[in-house]
Amino acid sequence: MTNPLESEWTCFVEANEPHLIEENLNAALDVALEHAMKDGRFGILVTRHGHTRFTVALSADVPYGQTMEENGPAS
């Protein structure tokens, strides 16, 4: 995948408790969906950077209306 930052919206999620990870990812996805619907060109890409770190971003590599997941480099 190419750089999701070309859409200029990215949210970083980090938490140590599984329920907090889920809550924070769901909240980030809700906001990403709002941004995606306003623009109408980007899908949502969720990238895992480790067990507790994620990014949720709009991406031109993901078709509008879809959400994809990928494993990224650990940081």
Side-chain angles (χ1 to χ4, degrees):
M1 298 251 155
T2 60
N3 185 359
L5 298 178
E6 65 196 36
S7 67
E8 300 183 14
W9 189 90
T10 300
C11 180
F12 299 92
V13 174
E14 185 169 9
N16 292 317
E17 300 292 327
H19 71 279
L20 291 176
I21 292 171
E22 182 177 5
E23 287 176 17
N24 292 339
L25 281 173
N26 286 337
L29 284 166
D30 288 343
V31 175
L33 184 57
E34 289 179 24
H35 284 278
M37 289 173 35
K38 286 180 189 174
D39 187 84
R41 296 182 298 151
F42 301 106
I44 300 170
L45 178 64
V46 179
T47 305
R48 177 191 294 262
H49 300 281
H51 296 293
T52 61
R53 299 188 65 201
F54 301 82
T55 54
V56 177
L58 300 186
S59 175
D61 289 333
V62 179
Y64 174 73
Q66 294 186 19
T67 300
M68 296 179 75
E69 300 176 5
E70 72 176 6
N71 289 315
S75 52

